Amino acid sequence: MQNTGTRSPATTPTHCPYCALQCGMNLTPVGSGTVEVSERADFPVNRGALCGKGRTAAQVLAPGVRLTSPLVRSQGGALVPAGWDEALDRIAGSLGRTRARYGADALGVFGGGGLTNEKAYALGKFARVVLGTSQIDYNGRFCMSSAAAAGTRAFGLDRGLPFPLEDVPRTGCVILVGSNPAETMPPSLRYFTELRENGGTLIVVDPRRTRTAEQADLHLAPRPGTDLALALGLLHLVVAEGRVDEAYVEERTSGWEEARAAAMAHWPEHVERITGVSVPELREAVRLFCAPEAAMVLTARGPEQQAKGTDTVGAWINLCLATGRAGRPLSGYGCLTGQGNGQGGREHGQKADQLPGYRRLTDPAARRHVAEVWGVDPDALPGPGRSAYELLDALGSDVRSLLVMGSNPVVSAPRAAHVEERLRSLDFLAVCDVVLSETARLADVVLPVTQWAEETGTTTNLEGRVLLRRRAVTPPEGVRGDLEVLHALAGRLGVEKGFPVDPEEVFEELRRASAGGPADYSGIDYRRLAREDGVFWPCPAPPPHGGPALRAAVTPPPAAGDTAPRPDTAAPGAEDAAAPHPGAPTPAAGGTAPHPGTPRLFLDRFATPDGRARFVPVAHRPSAEEPDEEYPVLLTTGRVVAQYQSGAQTRRVAELNAAAPGPFVELHPRLAARLGAAEGDPLAVVSRRGRAVAPARITTGIRPDTVFMPFHWPGEGRANTLTNPALDPASRMPEFKVCAVRVEAVPR
């Protein structure tokens, strides 16, 4: 709860720094260097509720917890305090020498899904304009890229939830696939509780009987890596039982016959053998889903973090389309984004294949529009670079110097021991972070930067709601903002203009850069965000002189492998009298009223050229790594309620560490008996990539053929030492959620 900064005693309404709910909270300075977190009941997403991470978030602001001085690597090999000029000069000099010797693509940039929209935008611009490199991606690639690819393929547009969370309790049934919000975003659990109180039903798909699954009307526990077969089996039953909404399919979709044929190859008994979910359970799931007038499917990392994650999500989307459960009130497919700005972080340019506004980097019109905003030649912009894991894998060879901002891949990346080795092999590594993370410990220069309560900026939550985080306290002396860092480095590398340090000025440029794109923020400004509970994109700017409304164009889907929608094909900023963006309200008479934002997408048409959603035929295939004699057990990974992501911040909070002090191996009593293991005994989990050791946690809430490890910790219990970097061909998502392992008892 401490902070060295001071401010007037007035309470500041702001948002939590952690998950994609972006819960509203109040911050109030309460004395010498302390700030208090309190409930903010007026914010509609969490309505005052905060989890333990949110309640204790201000403790990471305390001196002794967070960094307050730049650090540089001494000749003796230690990180020692340094002045800002020395640290910045060292970074700029090293980046410049690397570029001069090896070329611009020898420079890499790795961002984060927790960066504000302003930082993500500026970081992407810095990589492409100042460094001239194509080698930029971010840890959000590990979050929901498969859902993004599938959503774009089916609907022409990716926004995690195409409807606000307030719709969830009002629908008739929700299938929650591979998500455990009771632990990952606890304040959201009330929406599912209210769903059941209102007479709706909840189906949870998870190989573990989690806290969320315990509240479900039906829990399906498939073998890890078989979610695709499960969805296809449900669609088969929908067809066989005559539950297809034929009129909807005819009027609002295309590609049904091919998708239908693919699903019919997955009959229930076949799916039962693949998944372990019984035929009666499959039939009951279809009955519950199809009985009410409205229903939803919500996915999270379970089905997405697979080497077939895009197809898996696509199969669940097909189920929604076949039953008429998309683009209708209180119905649809949605993805529960994980990271705090996982949605906005991928919309504005820090992803390898995208430009601001969710435009494709390879599209000439997009390049012209953004280059004009940036004041550069479109031909000078580099093309797409490597995806996140591929970028990390190339460190020390093709990529010689790396700037990391807001990420900790030593803990969070798959095949983490290999990634750590690659980071160590770099000629130069610079890290901007709040704390001395495991990745920062490897750096040549570490810069201490501000965090959420010490800076103003916007984020976009899992609903597509753009929010304003407000600065509540002054950062400690010696700490600077990421925008200041990029401004200073740009100047040292010869670019004097174009990198302001004022976040509102950056956001105003972001508005222009996003205008007319799929993720159009041009009608949003800080004043609106300060007086409203956030604004849902797309939100085009009001048309000039009372003319027709500008819109984010509905254009062809991306080419195979792309994860961003195609941008507009008309001249940037051109007036368009055609239909508004799907789901967008009609402007007031005269066309001059501010656009209200778009809480609900696709109600009239989908964001495809013909306005129809696309079925995509998919078929089940094995995971990239199946069990065998040497590695007979499946490992799946995830989170626990008291820790967040790589744990770089939450592991520094005493209350959270008391609740979740370290890693563990969750296993079924039958597997424990075969190993001769008792509760708390050390177990070694071994994969083809390495070995992790953690205490046993024995429970009947997991399948006997599966073990679970949380991934928040470094060291010998690091779960991502084991995980498989096999990549989805479309999204380039690694297969975090399933790999083959053996489990061994460790002598005490």
Side-chain angles (χ1 to χ4, degrees):
M1 188 164 79
Q2 288 88 17
N3 181 269
T4 57
T6 59
R7 187 185 167 98
S8 69
T11 292
T12 301
T14 189
H15 296 274
C16 179
Y18 292 118
C19 82
L21 285 179
Q22 286 299 279
C23 291
M25 59 169 54
N26 290 318
L27 295 181
T28 306
V30 292
S32 176
T34 63
V35 61
E36 182 178 74
V37 174
S38 59
E39 295 179 354
R40 181 182 162 193
D42 64 325
F43 185 61
V45 175
N46 63 307
R47 292 176 276 171
L50 293 171
C51 73
K53 295 185 291 291
R55 287 188 295 97
T56 61
Q59 293 186 26
V60 186
L61 298 167
V65 175
R66 53 91 48 77
L67 295 169
T68 57
S69 170
L71 304 173
V72 300
R73 188 74 59 185
S74 69
Q75 289 185 343
L79 283 172
V80 298
W84 270 94
D85 284 340
E86 178 186 353
L88 291 166
D89 287 346
R90 188 177 294 200
I91 295 173
S94 295
L95 296 178
R97 287 189 294 272
T98 297
R99 182 170 58 184
R101 182 173 181 181
Y102 299 106
D105 273 359
L107 302 176
V109 177
F110 199 83
L115 300 179
T116 63
N117 291 317
E118 293 81 359
K119 294 179 186 180
Y121 172 84
L123 187 63
K125 181 181 179 182
F126 177 83
R128 295 180 174 105
V129 173
V130 178
L131 301 182
T133 183
S134 67
Q135 301 303 302
I136 175 172
D137 212 74
Y138 80 128
N139 63 17
R141 177 78 65 171
F142 301 155
C143 180
M144 57 176 293
S145 57
S146 293
T152 300
R153 196 165 66 176
F155 306 131
L157 184 71
D158 157 46
R159 196 180 82 186
L161 291 181
F163 41 73
L165 276 169
E166 68 184 42
D167 286 0
V168 170
R170 300 161 58 207
T171 193
C173 178
V174 172
I175 302 180
L176 193 58
V177 189
S179 177
N180 182 18
E183 299 205 52
T184 59
M185 45 181 66
S188 73
L189 193 63
R190 67 168 57 186
Y191 290 100
F192 303 102
T193 301
E194 290 171 7
L195 165 72
R196 299 185 69 214
E197 291 172 348
N198 292 339
T201 54
L202 176 64
I203 302 170
V204 171
V205 179
D206 199 305
R208 305 167 60 224
R209 188 161 182 80
T210 63
R211 295 182 186 180
T212 305
E214 288 174 352
Q215 301 196 29
D217 297 281
L218 177 63
H219 173 213
L220 307 180
R223 183 174 178 268
T226 64
D227 308 88
L228 175 51
L230 178 62
L232 288 164
L234 297 179
L235 182 53
H236 178 109
L237 285 170
V238 164
V239 175
E241 296 178 2
R243 299 179 184 270
V244 175
D245 188 333
E246 301 285 358
Y248 174 93
V249 169
E250 175 67 24
E251 294 169 6
R252 300 204 60 188
T253 73
S254 62
W256 167 235
E257 290 305 320
E258 294 84 356
R260 177 185 181 278
M264 297 315 288
H266 298 76
W267 62 95
E269 292 77 13
H270 178 51
V271 169
E272 180 181 78
R273 287 193 294 272
I274 294 170
T275 65
V277 177
S278 70
V279 172
E281 289 176 311
L282 296 173
R283 294 189 184 280
E284 178 66 0
V286 168
R287 186 189 70 80
L288 292 174
F289 185 66
C290 294
E293 291 186 7
M296 300 173 178
V297 172
L298 305 178
T299 67
R301 306 303 80 75
E304 298 162 17
Q305 288 181 324
Q306 299 183 30
K308 52 181 181 291
T310 301
D311 284 355
T312 301
V313 173
W316 289 101
I317 291 174
N318 287 349
L319 178 66
C320 289
L321 295 177
T323 53
R325 307 305 176 89
R328 285 178 166 173
L330 306 181
S331 286
Y333 163 77
C335 169
L336 299 177
T337 309
Q339 295 192 78
N341 198 29
Q343 181 70 53
R346 71 180 181 280
E347 295 169 357
H348 298 300
Q350 67 171 332
K351 200 173 181 182
D353 55 356
Q354 289 174 3
L355 287 170
Y358 223 152
R359 290 179 157 97
R360 284 196 311 122
L361 187 55
T362 54
D363 187 278
R367 295 170 68 88
R368 286 194 302 271
H369 174 80
V370 174
E372 181 179 355
V373 174
W374 288 352
V376 299
D377 184 344
D379 292 336
L381 296 176
R386 292 174 172 88
S387 70
Y389 179 77
E390 292 167 303
L391 173 58
L392 296 171
D393 190 41
L395 300 181
S397 53
D398 295 337
V399 177
R400 308 299 293 256
S401 294
L402 182 69
L403 172 64
V404 176
M405 187 171 283
S407 188
N408 188 19
V410 166
V411 178
S412 63
R415 198 186 173 196
H418 172 73
V419 168
E420 181 176 348
E421 177 188 342
R422 293 293 82 213
L423 285 162
R424 292 181 183 276
S425 73
L426 283 164
D427 295 346
F428 180 79
L429 172 63
V431 174
C432 301
D433 211 329
V434 175
V435 297
L436 192 63
S437 70
E438 287 71 26
T439 302
R441 292 180 185 277
L442 305 181
D444 298 285
V445 178
V446 182
L447 299 181
V449 290
T450 54
Q451 59 172 305
W452 106 110
E454 301 164 345
E455 60 188 10
T456 295
T458 63
T459 62
T460 306
N461 81 344
L462 76 172
E463 307 165 297
R465 187 194 301 251
V466 185
L467 303 165
L468 182 64
R469 284 188 190 165
R470 298 168 174 87
R471 175 169 163 162
V473 294
T474 302
E477 184 178 354
V479 174
R480 298 185 184 180
D482 292 287
L483 295 178
E484 294 178 86
V485 169
L486 294 175
H487 172 85
L489 291 177
R492 284 167 167 79
L493 290 164
V495 179
E496 299 292 338
K497 296 182 179 180
F499 290 87
V501 300
D502 176 20
E504 187 170 9
E505 188 176 347
V506 176
F507 189 79
E508 288 300 304
E509 183 177 302
L510 182 158
R511 293 176 63 198
R512 298 194 301 275
S514 74
D520 190 336
Y521 283 32
S522 60
I524 305 172
D525 59 35
Y526 273 29
R527 291 183 299 280
R528 282 193 69 176
L529 295 177
R531 67 175 181 264
E532 300 179 26
D533 289 324
V535 179
F536 293 83
W537 70 259
C539 182
H545 312 302
L550 300 182
R551 68 182 178 98
V554 176
T555 52
D562 287 348
T563 59
R566 291 186 186 273
D568 51 305
T569 53
E575 293 183 0
D576 191 340
H581 194 282
T586 303
T592 57
H595 192 288
T598 315
R600 295 169 181 86
L601 295 170
F602 314 137
L603 295 180
D604 298 319
R605 67 195 313 270
F606 294 96
T608 56
D610 59 6
R612 292 171 172 264
R614 291 187 173 86
F615 283 97
V616 177
V618 294
H620 174 71
R621 57 185 184 272
S623 298
E625 190 175 80
E626 291 287 338
D628 56 22
E629 287 189 12
E630 188 176 3
Y631 301 99
V633 176
L634 291 168
L635 168 71
T636 191
T637 63
R639 289 170 48 191
V640 296
V641 66
Q643 301 289 352
Y644 181 72
Q645 302 299 79
S646 76
Q649 295 187 37
T650 52
R651 284 187 276 111
R652 288 166 166 81
V653 177
E655 178 181 328
L656 300 179
N657 280 335
F664 57 86
V665 180
E666 185 177 282
L667 73 165
H668 192 275
R670 278 191 281 179
L671 178 56
R674 288 202 299 270
L675 297 169
E679 182 76 15
D681 284 354
L683 295 177
V685 183
V686 184
S687 77
R688 290 177 173 85
R689 289 153 295 280
R691 181 176 188 264
V693 178
R697 182 173 293 182
I698 301 171
T699 174
T700 57
I702 192 168
R703 293 173 54 95
D705 59 2
T706 301
V707 295
F708 166 83
M709 291 187 70
F711 62 82
H712 308 290
W713 289 274
E716 71 170 4
R718 180 173 59 186
N720 276 321
T721 296
L722 309 167
T723 48
N724 191 351
L727 301 180
D728 181 289
S731 67
R732 315 308 289 168
M733 167 73 83
E735 192 154 72
F736 286 98
K737 285 300 181 187
V738 54
C739 69
V741 298
R742 67 174 181 267
V743 185
E744 302 169 340
V746 176
R748 286 186 179 273

Short mmCIF file of all heavy atoms in Angstrom, two decimals, residues 551-602:
data_model
loop_
_atom_site.label_atom_id
_atom_site.label_comp_id
_atom_site.label_asym_id
_atom_site.label_seq_id
_atom_site.Cartn_x
_atom_site.Cartn_y
_atom_site.Cartn_z
N ARG A 551 -16.89 5.41 -41.32
CA ARG A 551 -17.05 4.08 -40.76
C ARG A 551 -15.78 3.28 -40.90
O ARG A 551 -14.95 3.55 -41.77
CB ARG A 551 -18.19 3.33 -41.46
CG ARG A 551 -17.91 2.98 -42.91
CD ARG A 551 -19.11 2.29 -43.54
NE ARG A 551 -18.88 1.98 -44.93
CZ ARG A 551 -18.48 0.78 -45.37
NH1 ARG A 551 -18.23 -0.18 -44.50
NH2 ARG A 551 -18.31 0.57 -46.65
N ALA A 552 -15.63 2.29 -40.04
CA ALA A 552 -14.59 1.30 -40.23
C ALA A 552 -15.09 0.35 -41.30
O ALA A 552 -16.16 -0.21 -41.20
CB ALA A 552 -14.34 0.55 -38.93
N ALA A 553 -14.34 0.21 -42.36
CA ALA A 553 -14.83 -0.51 -43.53
C ALA A 553 -15.03 -1.98 -43.25
O ALA A 553 -14.34 -2.58 -42.44
CB ALA A 553 -13.86 -0.33 -44.68
N VAL A 554 -15.99 -2.56 -43.94
CA VAL A 554 -16.20 -4.01 -43.93
C VAL A 554 -15.52 -4.54 -45.18
O VAL A 554 -15.93 -4.25 -46.29
CB VAL A 554 -17.70 -4.33 -43.95
CG1 VAL A 554 -17.91 -5.82 -44.03
CG2 VAL A 554 -18.36 -3.77 -42.71
N THR A 555 -14.46 -5.28 -45.01
CA THR A 555 -13.61 -5.65 -46.13
C THR A 555 -13.28 -7.12 -46.10
O THR A 555 -13.59 -7.82 -45.13
CB THR A 555 -12.32 -4.83 -46.08
OG1 THR A 555 -11.76 -4.97 -44.77
CG2 THR A 555 -12.60 -3.36 -46.33
N PRO A 556 -12.60 -7.64 -47.14
CA PRO A 556 -12.33 -9.07 -47.20
C PRO A 556 -11.52 -9.56 -46.01
O PRO A 556 -10.78 -8.78 -45.39
CB PRO A 556 -11.54 -9.22 -48.51
CG PRO A 556 -11.92 -8.03 -49.31
CD PRO A 556 -12.16 -6.93 -48.33
N PRO A 557 -11.64 -10.84 -45.68
CA PRO A 557 -10.88 -11.41 -44.57
C PRO A 557 -9.41 -11.47 -44.91
O PRO A 557 -9.02 -11.36 -46.07
CB PRO A 557 -11.47 -12.82 -44.44
CG PRO A 557 -11.93 -13.15 -45.82
CD PRO A 557 -12.42 -11.86 -46.40
N PRO A 558 -8.54 -11.63 -43.91
CA PRO A 558 -7.11 -11.69 -44.18
C PRO A 558 -6.74 -12.96 -44.91
O PRO A 558 -7.47 -13.94 -44.92
CB PRO A 558 -6.48 -11.67 -42.77
CG PRO A 558 -7.55 -12.22 -41.90
CD PRO A 558 -8.84 -11.78 -42.49
N ALA A 559 -5.58 -12.90 -45.52
CA ALA A 559 -5.05 -14.10 -46.16
C ALA A 559 -4.71 -15.13 -45.11
O ALA A 559 -4.59 -14.83 -43.92
CB ALA A 559 -3.80 -13.73 -46.97
N ALA A 560 -4.56 -16.37 -45.54
CA ALA A 560 -4.25 -17.45 -44.61
C ALA A 560 -3.01 -17.10 -43.81
O ALA A 560 -1.99 -16.68 -44.35
CB ALA A 560 -4.02 -18.74 -45.40
N GLY A 561 -3.11 -17.28 -42.53
CA GLY A 561 -1.97 -17.01 -41.65
C GLY A 561 -2.02 -15.63 -41.02
O GLY A 561 -1.37 -15.39 -40.03
N ASP A 562 -2.75 -14.68 -41.64
CA ASP A 562 -2.87 -13.36 -41.03
C ASP A 562 -3.84 -13.43 -39.87
O ASP A 562 -4.79 -14.18 -39.88
CB ASP A 562 -3.40 -12.34 -42.05
CG ASP A 562 -2.35 -11.98 -43.10
OD1 ASP A 562 -1.19 -12.35 -42.88
OD2 ASP A 562 -2.71 -11.35 -44.11
N THR A 563 -3.60 -12.57 -38.88
CA THR A 563 -4.50 -12.56 -37.72
C THR A 563 -5.21 -11.23 -37.58
O THR A 563 -5.94 -11.04 -36.63
CB THR A 563 -3.71 -12.85 -36.44
OG1 THR A 563 -2.69 -11.85 -36.28
CG2 THR A 563 -3.08 -14.21 -36.49
N ALA A 564 -5.01 -10.31 -38.50
CA ALA A 564 -5.70 -9.02 -38.43
C ALA A 564 -6.65 -8.88 -39.60
O ALA A 564 -6.39 -9.36 -40.69
CB ALA A 564 -4.68 -7.88 -38.46
N PRO A 565 -7.78 -8.20 -39.39
CA PRO A 565 -8.68 -7.95 -40.50
C PRO A 565 -8.02 -7.08 -41.55
O PRO A 565 -7.13 -6.28 -41.25
CB PRO A 565 -9.85 -7.21 -39.84
CG PRO A 565 -9.69 -7.39 -38.38
CD PRO A 565 -8.24 -7.63 -38.13
N ARG A 566 -8.47 -7.20 -42.80
CA ARG A 566 -7.98 -6.29 -43.83
C ARG A 566 -8.47 -4.88 -43.52
O ARG A 566 -9.56 -4.68 -43.04
CB ARG A 566 -8.49 -6.72 -45.21
CG ARG A 566 -7.87 -8.02 -45.70
CD ARG A 566 -8.31 -8.29 -47.12
NE ARG A 566 -7.85 -9.59 -47.56
CZ ARG A 566 -6.66 -9.81 -48.10
NH1 ARG A 566 -5.82 -8.82 -48.25
NH2 ARG A 566 -6.32 -11.02 -48.48
N PRO A 567 -7.66 -3.86 -43.84
CA PRO A 567 -8.07 -2.49 -43.59
C PRO A 567 -9.01 -1.99 -44.67
O PRO A 567 -9.32 -2.68 -45.63
CB PRO A 567 -6.75 -1.73 -43.62
CG PRO A 567 -5.94 -2.51 -44.61
CD PRO A 567 -6.34 -3.96 -44.41
N ASP A 568 -9.39 -0.74 -44.51
CA ASP A 568 -10.22 -0.13 -45.52
C ASP A 568 -9.48 -0.04 -46.84
O ASP A 568 -8.27 0.10 -46.89
CB ASP A 568 -10.63 1.27 -45.07
CG ASP A 568 -9.43 2.09 -44.62
OD1 ASP A 568 -8.71 1.60 -43.74
OD2 ASP A 568 -9.20 3.18 -45.17
N THR A 569 -10.22 -0.11 -47.93
CA THR A 569 -9.61 -0.03 -49.24
C THR A 569 -9.82 1.33 -49.89
O THR A 569 -9.22 1.64 -50.90
CB THR A 569 -10.17 -1.12 -50.17
OG1 THR A 569 -11.59 -1.02 -50.17
CG2 THR A 569 -9.77 -2.49 -49.68
N ALA A 570 -10.69 2.15 -49.30
CA ALA A 570 -10.87 3.50 -49.80
C ALA A 570 -9.74 4.39 -49.28
O ALA A 570 -8.98 4.02 -48.41
CB ALA A 570 -12.22 4.05 -49.33
N ALA A 571 -9.65 5.57 -49.85
CA ALA A 571 -8.64 6.51 -49.38
C ALA A 571 -8.87 6.82 -47.91
O ALA A 571 -10.01 6.99 -47.48
CB ALA A 571 -8.72 7.80 -50.20
N PRO A 572 -7.80 6.89 -47.12
CA PRO A 572 -7.97 7.13 -45.69
C PRO A 572 -8.78 8.40 -45.43
O PRO A 572 -8.52 9.45 -46.02
CB PRO A 572 -6.52 7.27 -45.19
CG PRO A 572 -5.71 6.55 -46.21
CD PRO A 572 -6.42 6.73 -47.51
N GLY A 573 -9.74 8.28 -44.57
CA GLY A 573 -10.54 9.43 -44.20
C GLY A 573 -11.64 9.76 -45.18
O GLY A 573 -12.36 10.74 -45.02
N ALA A 574 -11.78 8.96 -46.25
CA ALA A 574 -12.81 9.27 -47.23
C ALA A 574 -14.19 9.16 -46.61
O ALA A 574 -14.46 8.28 -45.81
CB ALA A 574 -12.69 8.31 -48.42
N GLU A 575 -15.10 10.03 -47.02
CA GLU A 575 -16.47 9.94 -46.53
C GLU A 575 -17.17 8.79 -47.22
O GLU A 575 -16.98 8.53 -48.40
CB GLU A 575 -17.21 11.25 -46.81
CG GLU A 575 -16.65 12.42 -45.99
CD GLU A 575 -17.43 13.68 -46.21
OE1 GLU A 575 -18.41 13.66 -46.97
OE2 GLU A 575 -17.08 14.70 -45.60
N ASP A 576 -17.97 8.08 -46.47
CA ASP A 576 -18.62 6.89 -46.99
C ASP A 576 -20.05 6.88 -46.53
O ASP A 576 -20.33 6.85 -45.34
CB ASP A 576 -17.88 5.64 -46.48
CG ASP A 576 -18.32 4.39 -47.18
OD1 ASP A 576 -19.42 4.39 -47.77
OD2 ASP A 576 -17.58 3.39 -47.11
N ALA A 577 -20.95 6.93 -47.47
CA ALA A 577 -22.36 6.97 -47.11
C ALA A 577 -22.97 5.59 -46.99
O ALA A 577 -24.16 5.46 -46.82
CB ALA A 577 -23.12 7.77 -48.17
N ALA A 578 -22.14 4.55 -47.09
CA ALA A 578 -22.66 3.19 -47.01
C ALA A 578 -23.08 2.88 -45.58
O ALA A 578 -22.99 3.70 -44.68
CB ALA A 578 -21.60 2.20 -47.49
N ALA A 579 -23.52 1.63 -45.39
CA ALA A 579 -23.99 1.22 -44.07
C ALA A 579 -22.90 1.38 -43.03
O ALA A 579 -21.72 1.24 -43.34
CB ALA A 579 -24.44 -0.23 -44.13
N PRO A 580 -23.26 1.69 -41.80
CA PRO A 580 -22.25 1.85 -40.75
C PRO A 580 -21.62 0.52 -40.39
O PRO A 580 -22.06 -0.53 -40.83
CB PRO A 580 -23.05 2.41 -39.57
CG PRO A 580 -24.45 1.94 -39.81
CD PRO A 580 -24.60 1.91 -41.30
N HIS A 581 -20.58 0.61 -39.56
CA HIS A 581 -19.89 -0.60 -39.09
C HIS A 581 -20.91 -1.54 -38.46
O HIS A 581 -21.85 -1.11 -37.81
CB HIS A 581 -18.83 -0.20 -38.06
CG HIS A 581 -17.87 -1.29 -37.78
ND1 HIS A 581 -18.17 -2.34 -36.96
CD2 HIS A 581 -16.62 -1.51 -38.23
CE1 HIS A 581 -17.16 -3.16 -36.90
NE2 HIS A 581 -16.20 -2.67 -37.66
N PRO A 582 -20.73 -2.86 -38.64
CA PRO A 582 -21.73 -3.80 -38.12
C PRO A 582 -22.03 -3.58 -36.65
O PRO A 582 -21.13 -3.55 -35.83
CB PRO A 582 -21.07 -5.17 -38.35
CG PRO A 582 -19.66 -4.89 -38.70
CD PRO A 582 -19.61 -3.52 -39.28
N GLY A 583 -23.30 -3.41 -36.36
CA GLY A 583 -23.71 -3.21 -34.98
C GLY A 583 -23.67 -1.77 -34.53
O GLY A 583 -24.14 -1.45 -33.44
N ALA A 584 -23.10 -0.87 -35.36
CA ALA A 584 -22.97 0.51 -34.94
C ALA A 584 -24.30 1.23 -35.01
O ALA A 584 -25.07 1.03 -35.95
CB ALA A 584 -21.95 1.24 -35.83
N PRO A 585 -24.60 2.09 -34.02
CA PRO A 585 -25.85 2.84 -34.06
C PRO A 585 -25.84 3.86 -35.19
O PRO A 585 -24.80 4.32 -35.62
CB PRO A 585 -25.89 3.53 -32.68
CG PRO A 585 -24.86 2.83 -31.86
CD PRO A 585 -23.84 2.31 -32.81
N THR A 586 -27.00 4.24 -35.65
CA THR A 586 -27.12 5.26 -36.67
C THR A 586 -26.90 6.62 -36.03
O THR A 586 -27.46 6.93 -34.98
CB THR A 586 -28.51 5.20 -37.31
OG1 THR A 586 -28.71 3.90 -37.84
CG2 THR A 586 -28.65 6.23 -38.41
N PRO A 587 -26.09 7.50 -36.66
CA PRO A 587 -25.87 8.82 -36.08
C PRO A 587 -27.16 9.62 -36.00
O PRO A 587 -28.12 9.36 -36.73
CB PRO A 587 -24.86 9.47 -37.05
CG PRO A 587 -24.26 8.33 -37.80
CD PRO A 587 -25.31 7.28 -37.87
N ALA A 588 -27.16 10.59 -35.14
CA ALA A 588 -28.32 11.46 -35.01
C ALA A 588 -28.52 12.25 -36.29
O ALA A 588 -27.63 12.36 -37.12
CB ALA A 588 -28.12 12.41 -33.82
N ALA A 589 -29.71 12.79 -36.45
CA ALA A 589 -30.02 13.58 -37.63
C ALA A 589 -28.98 14.67 -37.80
O ALA A 589 -28.59 15.35 -36.86
CB ALA A 589 -31.42 14.17 -37.49
N GLY A 590 -28.56 14.87 -39.05
CA GLY A 590 -27.52 15.86 -39.32
C GLY A 590 -26.14 15.27 -39.27
O GLY A 590 -25.20 15.84 -39.77
N GLY A 591 -25.99 14.12 -38.65
CA GLY A 591 -24.70 13.43 -38.67
C GLY A 591 -23.62 14.06 -37.84
O GLY A 591 -22.46 13.75 -38.00
N THR A 592 -23.96 14.98 -36.93
CA THR A 592 -22.93 15.69 -36.18
C THR A 592 -22.77 15.20 -34.76
O THR A 592 -21.86 15.62 -34.07
CB THR A 592 -23.24 17.19 -36.16
OG1 THR A 592 -24.54 17.38 -35.58
CG2 THR A 592 -23.23 17.77 -37.58
N ALA A 593 -23.67 14.37 -34.28
CA ALA A 593 -23.57 13.89 -32.90
C ALA A 593 -22.38 12.96 -32.76
O ALA A 593 -22.06 12.20 -33.68
CB ALA A 593 -24.85 13.17 -32.51
N PRO A 594 -21.70 12.99 -31.63
CA PRO A 594 -20.60 12.03 -31.42
C PRO A 594 -21.11 10.60 -31.51
O PRO A 594 -22.22 10.28 -31.06
CB PRO A 594 -20.13 12.34 -29.99
CG PRO A 594 -20.60 13.73 -29.73
CD PRO A 594 -21.87 13.90 -30.49
N HIS A 595 -20.31 9.75 -32.10
CA HIS A 595 -20.67 8.33 -32.18
C HIS A 595 -20.71 7.77 -30.76
O HIS A 595 -19.80 7.99 -29.97
CB HIS A 595 -19.65 7.59 -33.03
CG HIS A 595 -20.05 6.21 -33.42
ND1 HIS A 595 -20.09 5.18 -32.52
CD2 HIS A 595 -20.42 5.69 -34.61
CE1 HIS A 595 -20.46 4.08 -33.14
NE2 HIS A 595 -20.68 4.36 -34.41
N PRO A 596 -21.75 7.03 -30.40
CA PRO A 596 -21.86 6.54 -29.02
C PRO A 596 -20.98 5.34 -28.71
O PRO A 596 -20.96 4.87 -27.57
CB PRO A 596 -23.34 6.16 -28.91
CG PRO A 596 -23.72 5.77 -30.30
CD PRO A 596 -22.94 6.68 -31.21
N GLY A 597 -20.26 4.82 -29.70
CA GLY A 597 -19.54 3.57 -29.49
C GLY A 597 -20.42 2.39 -29.84
O GLY A 597 -21.62 2.52 -30.08
N THR A 598 -19.81 1.20 -29.84
CA THR A 598 -20.52 0.01 -30.33
C THR A 598 -20.42 -1.12 -29.31
O THR A 598 -19.55 -1.99 -29.43
CB THR A 598 -19.94 -0.44 -31.68
OG1 THR A 598 -19.77 0.70 -32.53
CG2 THR A 598 -20.86 -1.45 -32.36
N PRO A 599 -21.28 -1.14 -28.32
CA PRO A 599 -21.22 -2.23 -27.33
C PRO A 599 -21.50 -3.60 -27.94
O PRO A 599 -20.92 -4.59 -27.50
CB PRO A 599 -22.30 -1.86 -26.32
CG PRO A 599 -22.54 -0.40 -26.51
CD PRO A 599 -22.30 -0.14 -27.96
N ARG A 600 -22.38 -3.65 -28.94
CA ARG A 600 -22.79 -4.95 -29.50
C ARG A 600 -22.54 -4.95 -31.00
O ARG A 600 -23.11 -4.15 -31.74
CB ARG A 600 -24.26 -5.22 -29.18
CG ARG A 600 -24.51 -5.39 -27.69
CD ARG A 600 -25.98 -5.39 -27.34
NE ARG A 600 -26.15 -5.53 -25.88
CZ ARG A 600 -26.15 -4.49 -25.04
NH1 ARG A 600 -26.00 -3.25 -25.51
NH2 ARG A 600 -26.29 -4.70 -23.74
N LEU A 601 -21.69 -5.88 -31.42
CA LEU A 601 -21.34 -6.01 -32.82
C LEU A 601 -22.25 -6.99 -33.54
O LEU A 601 -22.88 -7.85 -32.92
CB LEU A 601 -19.89 -6.51 -32.94
CG LEU A 601 -18.79 -5.59 -32.44
CD1 LEU A 601 -17.46 -6.34 -32.41
CD2 LEU A 601 -18.67 -4.35 -33.31
N PHE A 602 -22.28 -6.88 -34.86
CA PHE A 602 -22.82 -7.90 -35.78
C PHE A 602 -24.33 -8.07 -35.72
O PHE A 602 -24.84 -9.04 -36.27
CB PHE A 602 -22.16 -9.27 -35.53
CG PHE A 602 -20.68 -9.26 -35.41
CD1 PHE A 602 -20.05 -10.02 -34.43
CD2 PHE A 602 -19.89 -8.50 -36.25
CE1 PHE A 602 -18.67 -10.03 -34.31
CE2 PHE A 602 -18.50 -8.49 -36.14
CZ PHE A 602 -17.89 -9.26 -35.15
#
